[in-house]
Amino acid sequence: MTQLALVATESALRDADLAIDSQTDFDLGVVTSASAGGFEFGQRELQKLWTEGPSTVSAYMSFSWFYAVNTGQISIRHKLRGPASALVTDQAGGLDAIGHSRRIVRDGTPVVIAAGVDSSLCRWGWSRSCRAGS
């Protein structure tokens, strides 16, 4: 999911014709929302843990499920040091991210990247979404 978030951010920056280098790093913020995390990767790594043992589990497992990883990775990739938030919501998270970003802009940050991200296209994540009525 994080790779998709990074690619989508690149696309959004191109579409906005925003030259990040022309801004100071504290003038750019990031807000993402998620209802979960990287279910598919996490499920695969847990299966490896159960069947092959702990030495086969990727170090990335420690944060793959973490809902804030997308905000962090977008900030790191683009050297953004302005306000950053990770919201945990369900279904309308993208709208929540836009609303929160608007408040950050209103408070003086010129540019905020806002995104709703999630990854539930695996058995575990899909069953969670179905159970929640998503």
Side-chain angles (χ1 to χ4, degrees):
M1 189 68 236
T2 301
Q3 291 173 341
L4 182 58
L6 291 170
V7 169
T9 299
E10 295 288 338
S11 179
L13 292 172
R14 266 193 316 277
D15 285 351
D17 198 24
L18 180 64
I20 289 181
D21 297 339
S22 67
Q23 308 282 326
T24 65
D25 51 356
F26 289 102
D27 283 344
L28 297 143
V30 180
V31 176
T32 66
S33 69
S35 65
F39 278 137
E40 184 175 10
F41 179 81
Q43 179 179 331
R44 189 171 50 247
E45 293 303 301
L46 285 173
Q47 287 173 329
K48 283 172 36 180
L49 172 66
W50 297 328
T51 60
E52 301 172 37
S55 64
T56 65
V57 176
S58 170
Y60 294 109
M61 178 59 183
S62 62
F63 62 81
S64 68
W65 57 271
F66 188 50
Y67 57 87
V69 73
N70 297 304
T71 295
Q73 291 299 309
I74 292 167
S75 296
I76 291 166
R77 166 77 54 93
H78 297 286
K79 299 178 178 75
L80 310 179
R81 299 191 319 172
S85 298
L87 310 176
V88 180
T89 65
D90 196 12
Q91 299 177 0
L95 291 174
D96 290 338
I98 291 170
H100 189 67
S101 296
R102 182 192 176 282
R103 287 187 288 280
I104 293 171
V105 169
R106 183 185 60 209
D107 291 341
T109 301
V111 177
V112 179
I113 296 168
V117 298
D118 220 328
S119 174
S120 60
L121 298 178
C122 67
R123 289 175 289 186
W124 186 40
W126 186 251
S127 64
R128 184 215 52 91
S129 293
C130 290
R131 180 77 175 142
S134 301

